[in-house]
DNA sequence: GAGATCCCATGGGATAACTT
DNA sequence: AAGTTATCCCATGGGATCTC
């Protein structure tokens, strides 16, 4: 099995859970991770004070960033990163990095907002340790643009591309930039200090632009013309369903659409008009 | 079964940038 | 100059699942 993602942080999660068949974080590794020696760098504290988290959380993130890199085994490292990312998500209201500053009005009393990032981290290590299993195969986790992947044949490919929304930038960088930066300690990812949430620049992908998305889908389906394709998509995306079915039909003799109504509970303020969507699984073979 | 907890590829308004 | 597309910031809660 091969997993690949456009973003680094999510490919690390895949390395921890998909590529990794047997490595767990044991007590010794955990003690090394939370070692309290003051960190050699304080990039996170310097850049995100007053933006996300408490000062203690930020110090912990600087410390853990150094300690993770002391682990020798890449699967141990990946497990620690996966646990760290999930800790950061749970400690951030709504799990996104689009809001900053005083977030007390988001506090609805939930436990996730009371725990420190470090307390979450210890819990999430157990969560990820319990998620490790051996499927009896050699699996890979890659970080790649879909068009840069080697031409390896796969029986079935599950595609979950970004989509162009009708009025916004859809790129995940907007919501998860903090995790992407954290995954490499912002090495080579300069922060745009003019932004309130201290974003990094999003990487280019044709899937984000109306003018290029149709061609990108066409090329992507062509790239997997010899595999069964399962494409995950939504009715509030662009291109629309008819266009996607037609595009897949250029490369596949049979295209089947499965639909499931869904209501988002995230942007649910009264003026949100598109919370009701249809989720699609478009299968070509 | 009732209450607590947790999850969520979000959406709209304003404005900037780009097209024709 | 008007229309279209891209970007930035920030506001928002119901239902599935868990716990007792």
């Amino acid at each position: 099995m091969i997993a690949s993602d456009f973003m680094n942080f999510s490919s690390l999660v895949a390395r921890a859970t998909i590529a990794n068949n047997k490595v767990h974080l044991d007590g010794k590794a955990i003690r090394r991770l939370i070692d309290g020696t003051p960190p050699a760098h304080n990039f996170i504290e310097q850049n995100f004070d007053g933006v996300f988290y408490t000062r203690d959380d930020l110090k912990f993130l600087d410390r853990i960033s150094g300690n993770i890199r002391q682990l020798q085994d890449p699967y141990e490292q990946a497990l620690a990163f996966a646990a760290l990312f999930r800790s950061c998500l749970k400690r951030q209201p709504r799990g996104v990095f689009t809001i900053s500053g005083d977030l007390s009005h988001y506090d609805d009393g939930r436990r996730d907002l009371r725990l420190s990032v470090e307390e979450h981290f210890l819990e999430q290590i157990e969560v990820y340790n319990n998620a490790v299993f051996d499927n009896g195969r050699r699996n890979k986790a890659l970080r790649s643009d879909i068009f840069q992947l080697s031409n390896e044949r796969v029986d079935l490919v599950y595609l979950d591309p970004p989509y162009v929304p009708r009025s916004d930038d859809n790129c995940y960088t907007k919501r998860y930039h903090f995790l992407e930066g954290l995954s490499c300690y912002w090495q080579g990812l300069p922060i745009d200090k003019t932004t309130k949430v201290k974003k990094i620049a999003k990487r280019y992908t044709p899937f984000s632009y109306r003018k290029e998305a149709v061609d990108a889908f066409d090329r992507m389906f062509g790239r997997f013309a010899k595999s069964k394709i399962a494409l995950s998509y939504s009715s509030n995306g662009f291109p629309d369903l008819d266009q996607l079915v037609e595009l897949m039909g250029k490369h596949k003799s049979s295209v089947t659409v499965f639909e499931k109504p869904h209501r988002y509970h995230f942007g649910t303020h009264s003026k949100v008009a598109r919370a009701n969507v249809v989720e699609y699984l478009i299968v070509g073979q």
Side-chain angles (χ1 to χ4, degrees):
Chain A
M1 180 167 171
I2 303 169
S4 178
D5 201 274
F6 185 67
M7 297 192 88
N8 191 51
F9 86 90
S10 37
S11 72
L12 281 170
V13 177
R15 180 185 292 168
T17 55
I18 294 171
N20 173 24
N21 277 348
K22 59 175 191 291
V23 173
H24 294 81
L25 285 172
D26 61 14
K28 187 180 163 202
I30 294 169
R31 280 192 295 278
R32 289 178 67 182
L33 280 168
I34 59 173
D35 182 88
T37 308
H41 303 282
N42 62 352
F43 180 91
I44 299 175
E45 184 183 0
Q46 283 196 333
N47 284 279
F48 291 98
D49 182 37
V51 182
F52 304 126
Y53 307 125
T54 67
R55 190 167 273 266
D56 282 346
D57 285 334
L58 298 174
K59 287 178 193 286
F60 169 74
L61 289 170
D62 277 316
R63 193 153 49 82
I64 195 81
S65 293
N67 292 350
I68 282 184
R69 287 163 176 81
Q70 302 298 314
L71 296 179
Q72 297 301 312
D73 186 290
Y75 294 124
E76 285 193 358
Q77 266 198 20
L79 275 170
F81 270 119
L84 189 62
F85 299 148
R86 191 141 192 269
S87 305
C88 291
L89 286 170
K90 289 175 88 69
R91 188 61 187 77
Q92 175 73 357
R94 307 301 190 261
V96 290
F97 298 92
T98 57
I99 46 177
S100 63
D102 177 12
L103 304 177
S104 55
H105 62 292
Y106 291 101
D107 188 351
D108 55 5
R110 71 181 60 184
R111 178 175 176 273
D112 280 353
L113 300 180
R114 294 197 300 269
L115 298 186
S116 67
V117 175
E118 182 165 6
E119 288 168 327
H120 275 295
F121 182 63
L122 291 170
E123 290 191 359
Q124 295 308 318
I125 284 176
E126 287 316 302
V127 169
Y128 274 98
N129 269 342
N130 290 331
V132 175
F133 71 98
D134 189 346
N135 68 347
R137 296 170 184 274
R138 291 168 58 94
N139 310 295
K140 287 195 274 193
L142 309 175
R143 186 274 180 99
S144 175
D145 183 296
I146 189 94
F147 299 114
Q148 305 296 319
L149 282 173
S150 68
N151 228 13
E152 198 165 342
R153 271 285 301 278
V154 291
D155 300 319
L156 168 71
V157 59
Y158 174 76
L159 300 170
D160 193 16
Y163 53 75
V164 184
R166 289 166 204 177
S167 90
D168 204 350
D169 52 331
N170 74 319
C171 181
Y172 260 20
T173 304
K174 150 174 140 172
R175 298 190 171 91
Y176 300 114
H177 60 93
F178 185 82
L179 302 183
E180 187 70 355
L182 184 61
S183 75
C184 61
Y185 209 62
W186 285 267
Q187 294 292 311
L189 298 179
I191 285 176
D192 178 351
K193 300 205 177 188
T194 67
T195 60
K196 274 204 168 181
V197 294
K198 308 301 172 193
K199 278 200 285 199
I200 55 176
K202 66 182 187 184
R203 285 169 61 217
Y204 167 77
T205 165
F207 290 99
S208 286
Y209 301 93
R210 305 183 90 81
K211 278 182 225 162
E212 301 172 53
V214 171
D215 173 65
F217 274 99
D218 193 9
R219 285 188 291 130
M220 180 168 69
F221 295 152
R223 159 73 181 74
F224 294 105
K226 292 179 178 170
S227 308
K228 289 181 183 170
I229 298 176
L231 172 76
S232 173
Y233 218 64
S234 163
S235 61
N236 61 3
F238 170 91
D240 64 17
L241 179 63
D242 289 347
Q243 209 166 0
L244 284 174
V245 168
E246 186 191 329
L247 284 169
M248 200 183 281
K250 288 169 63 178
H251 305 278
K252 293 288 167 189
S253 53
S254 143
V255 176
T256 313
V257 179
F258 300 88
E259 303 188 358
K260 183 174 169 54
H262 178 66
R263 176 178 162 79
Y264 289 115
H265 298 290
F266 202 42
T268 42
H269 47 293
S270 60
K271 289 185 178 172
V272 171
R274 286 184 278 142
N276 286 301
V277 300
V278 181
E279 297 290 315
Y280 302 129
L281 188 66
I282 307 168
V283 177
Q285 51 189 331

